[in-house]
Amino acid sequence: MSRSVPVGLGARAYDVVIGPGLLAEAGRRIAPLARRKRLAVVSDETVWGLHGAALTASLEGAGLAVHPVIVPPGEQTKSFEGLADVTDRLLALELDRGDIVTAFGGGVVGDLTGFAAAIYKRGIDFVQIPTTLLAQVDSSVGGKTAIDTPRGKNLVGAFHQPRLVLADLDVLSTLSDREMRAGYSEVIKYGLLGDFGFFEWLETNSAAVLAREPAALARAVARSVEMKAEIVAEDEKEQGRRALLNLGHTFGHALEAETGYGAALLHGEAVAAGQALAFRFSAAQGLCAGQDAARATAAIAGAGLPTRLDEIAGHPFDAARLVRHMAQDKKAEAGQLTFILARALGDAFVAKDVDAEAVRRFLVSEGAQMHEGEGR
């Protein structure tokens, strides 16, 4: 059985459909949205090789002409070069605003395709079919689209809401265990930032979720999407409460920048470490109890995710360099650092004007290097 979670945005409202077997239903669900019955599907080589035939059969069975646009896998595709390639190929298909672009893949494909759709002829409709746990519970919902630049992650983008999101839980069967763990970091985030009961449930059921047990997986994905949909409906453009969804991301994006956005540290792994660091920094600043920070760290670590700098193999981190990356974060204002910090488990808040020197000292206490002469 599938379940629909509405994202209430007035004229731009849409449903996130969650359940097994949704690839087979994709054609029936997407066809009413495509006026000219033409569909460009942006996917990466890995996902298309695994699931492209099933999706194509469903779409063509509903009378849709399918035009695949296949890109290389990996974060490096989410770049100016990748964006230019995808938009050029969409233009070559001579799509118009009555056509549909479908993002069929993980967060990289979803972010890249959504941004291309946002700027293609000043905006074309798109559908998200996320194929990773992380994309299903986070990046496919809410309309954030972006590419990376050498100066940081997701710094160039647009808000462009999809018309529909289809989260087929069956496709997660082909996901690696590492990718499942990386996606789980965004699941536990919802408990840590605003639902202590969900956090407690995850403490007991994390193994079942990661093992892809149907009932546990469906509950974890649905609750995550419910929370994100509620927050997005309240604050679409991240002027207030939506910033809470960035728990762990200020630390995490800095770690990703230092490791080169590659296979050494997946986005979800960086966010996991970032969440643990955010809770421990909150405790160090006297904002939350040390036992809450320890419990958050233990829950993240219990899912097989990194929680400390020295667990990211081969990458000694420099505290000052990490802080410089944080100064480029989208949430920074007038040169001041903004973090999502915690008062307790399930109670996060936006902290502006965070002292950069306090962050640097904390990172040193966590094992980051300090150059000679710093802090004197």
Short mmCIF file of all heavy atoms in Angstrom, two decimals, residues 272-297:
data_model
loop_
_atom_site.label_atom_id
_atom_site.label_comp_id
_atom_site.label_asym_id
_atom_site.label_seq_id
_atom_site.Cartn_x
_atom_site.Cartn_y
_atom_site.Cartn_z
N ALA A 272 25.89 13.41 9.24
CA ALA A 272 25.87 12.65 10.50
C ALA A 272 26.93 13.18 11.46
O ALA A 272 26.63 13.47 12.64
CB ALA A 272 26.11 11.17 10.21
N ALA A 273 28.16 13.31 10.98
CA ALA A 273 29.22 13.86 11.82
C ALA A 273 28.86 15.28 12.25
O ALA A 273 29.09 15.68 13.40
CB ALA A 273 30.55 13.84 11.07
N GLY A 274 28.28 16.04 11.32
CA GLY A 274 27.90 17.42 11.62
C GLY A 274 26.85 17.52 12.71
O GLY A 274 26.90 18.43 13.56
N GLN A 275 25.89 16.59 12.72
CA GLN A 275 24.87 16.61 13.76
C GLN A 275 25.47 16.30 15.13
O GLN A 275 25.13 16.95 16.13
CB GLN A 275 23.76 15.61 13.42
CG GLN A 275 22.91 16.04 12.24
CD GLN A 275 21.87 14.99 11.89
OE1 GLN A 275 20.78 14.98 12.44
NE2 GLN A 275 22.19 14.11 10.95
N ALA A 276 26.35 15.31 15.18
CA ALA A 276 27.00 14.99 16.44
C ALA A 276 27.85 16.17 16.93
O ALA A 276 27.82 16.52 18.12
CB ALA A 276 27.87 13.74 16.27
N LEU A 277 28.55 16.80 16.00
CA LEU A 277 29.35 17.97 16.37
C LEU A 277 28.46 19.11 16.85
O LEU A 277 28.79 19.82 17.81
CB LEU A 277 30.19 18.43 15.17
CG LEU A 277 31.37 17.52 14.79
CD1 LEU A 277 31.90 17.88 13.41
CD2 LEU A 277 32.49 17.62 15.84
N ALA A 278 27.31 19.32 16.19
CA ALA A 278 26.40 20.39 16.59
C ALA A 278 25.88 20.17 18.00
O ALA A 278 25.76 21.12 18.79
CB ALA A 278 25.25 20.49 15.59
N PHE A 279 25.56 18.94 18.34
CA PHE A 279 25.07 18.66 19.70
C PHE A 279 26.20 18.83 20.72
O PHE A 279 25.98 19.40 21.80
CB PHE A 279 24.47 17.25 19.78
CG PHE A 279 22.98 17.24 19.63
CD1 PHE A 279 22.40 17.26 18.37
CD2 PHE A 279 22.15 17.25 20.74
CE1 PHE A 279 21.02 17.28 18.22
CE2 PHE A 279 20.77 17.27 20.61
CZ PHE A 279 20.20 17.29 19.34
N ARG A 280 27.41 18.36 20.38
CA ARG A 280 28.51 18.51 21.33
C ARG A 280 28.93 19.98 21.47
O ARG A 280 29.29 20.42 22.57
CB ARG A 280 29.69 17.62 20.93
CG ARG A 280 29.37 16.13 21.05
CD ARG A 280 30.63 15.28 21.15
NE ARG A 280 31.46 15.34 19.96
CZ ARG A 280 31.29 14.59 18.87
NH1 ARG A 280 30.30 13.70 18.82
NH2 ARG A 280 32.12 14.70 17.85
N PHE A 281 28.87 20.73 20.37
CA PHE A 281 29.16 22.17 20.47
C PHE A 281 28.10 22.86 21.33
O PHE A 281 28.42 23.74 22.15
CB PHE A 281 29.21 22.79 19.08
CG PHE A 281 29.50 24.27 19.07
CD1 PHE A 281 30.72 24.75 19.51
CD2 PHE A 281 28.55 25.17 18.62
CE1 PHE A 281 31.00 26.12 19.51
CE2 PHE A 281 28.81 26.53 18.61
CZ PHE A 281 30.04 27.01 19.06
N SER A 282 26.83 22.47 21.15
CA SER A 282 25.76 23.03 21.98
C SER A 282 26.03 22.75 23.46
O SER A 282 25.86 23.64 24.31
CB SER A 282 24.41 22.42 21.57
OG SER A 282 24.09 22.73 20.24
N ALA A 283 26.46 21.53 23.76
CA ALA A 283 26.77 21.19 25.15
C ALA A 283 27.96 21.99 25.65
O ALA A 283 27.97 22.49 26.79
CB ALA A 283 27.03 19.69 25.27
N ALA A 284 28.97 22.15 24.80
CA ALA A 284 30.16 22.91 25.19
C ALA A 284 29.84 24.37 25.47
O ALA A 284 30.50 25.01 26.30
CB ALA A 284 31.23 22.81 24.09
N GLN A 285 28.82 24.89 24.81
CA GLN A 285 28.39 26.28 25.02
C GLN A 285 27.36 26.42 26.14
O GLN A 285 26.84 27.52 26.39
CB GLN A 285 27.82 26.84 23.72
CG GLN A 285 28.80 26.90 22.57
CD GLN A 285 29.99 27.77 22.88
OE1 GLN A 285 29.85 28.96 23.14
NE2 GLN A 285 31.18 27.18 22.88
N GLY A 286 27.04 25.30 26.80
CA GLY A 286 26.08 25.34 27.89
C GLY A 286 24.64 25.46 27.45
O GLY A 286 23.76 25.83 28.23
N LEU A 287 24.37 25.11 26.18
CA LEU A 287 23.02 25.25 25.64
C LEU A 287 22.16 24.02 25.87
O LEU A 287 20.94 24.10 25.94
CB LEU A 287 23.09 25.55 24.14
CG LEU A 287 23.83 26.84 23.77
CD1 LEU A 287 24.06 26.90 22.26
CD2 LEU A 287 23.03 28.05 24.24
N CYS A 288 22.79 22.85 25.91
CA CYS A 288 22.05 21.61 26.17
C CYS A 288 22.86 20.72 27.10
O CYS A 288 24.07 20.94 27.29
CB CYS A 288 21.69 20.89 24.86
SG CYS A 288 23.00 19.87 24.16
N ALA A 289 22.20 19.74 27.65
CA ALA A 289 22.86 18.85 28.60
C ALA A 289 23.87 17.96 27.90
O ALA A 289 23.64 17.49 26.78
CB ALA A 289 21.82 17.99 29.31
N GLY A 290 24.98 17.71 28.57
CA GLY A 290 25.98 16.82 28.00
C GLY A 290 25.44 15.43 27.74
O GLY A 290 25.84 14.78 26.78
N GLN A 291 24.49 14.97 28.57
CA GLN A 291 23.95 13.64 28.37
C GLN A 291 23.11 13.57 27.10
O GLN A 291 23.05 12.53 26.44
CB GLN A 291 23.11 13.20 29.57
CG GLN A 291 21.88 14.05 29.84
CD GLN A 291 21.20 13.68 31.15
OE1 GLN A 291 21.80 13.07 32.04
NE2 GLN A 291 19.93 14.06 31.27
N ASP A 292 22.48 14.69 26.70
CA ASP A 292 21.74 14.70 25.45
C ASP A 292 22.69 14.62 24.26
O ASP A 292 22.43 13.92 23.28
CB ASP A 292 20.89 15.97 25.35
CG ASP A 292 19.62 15.89 26.17
OD1 ASP A 292 19.35 14.82 26.76
OD2 ASP A 292 18.88 16.89 26.23
N ALA A 293 23.80 15.36 24.35
CA ALA A 293 24.79 15.30 23.28
C ALA A 293 25.38 13.90 23.17
O ALA A 293 25.58 13.38 22.06
CB ALA A 293 25.89 16.32 23.53
N ALA A 294 25.63 13.27 24.31
CA ALA A 294 26.18 11.91 24.30
C ALA A 294 25.16 10.93 23.71
O ALA A 294 25.53 10.01 22.95
CB ALA A 294 26.57 11.49 25.71
N ARG A 295 23.90 11.11 24.05
CA ARG A 295 22.86 10.20 23.53
C ARG A 295 22.68 10.38 22.03
O ARG A 295 22.51 9.39 21.30
CB ARG A 295 21.56 10.46 24.27
CG ARG A 295 20.46 9.45 23.98
CD ARG A 295 19.29 9.68 24.92
NE ARG A 295 18.13 8.88 24.54
CZ ARG A 295 16.93 8.95 25.14
NH1 ARG A 295 16.77 9.81 26.15
NH2 ARG A 295 15.93 8.19 24.74
N ALA A 296 22.71 11.62 21.55
CA ALA A 296 22.62 11.86 20.11
C ALA A 296 23.80 11.22 19.39
O ALA A 296 23.64 10.55 18.36
CB ALA A 296 22.57 13.36 19.83
N THR A 297 24.99 11.42 19.94
CA THR A 297 26.19 10.84 19.34
C THR A 297 26.10 9.32 19.30
O THR A 297 26.42 8.69 18.29
CB THR A 297 27.44 11.28 20.13
OG1 THR A 297 27.57 12.71 20.04
CG2 THR A 297 28.70 10.63 19.59
#
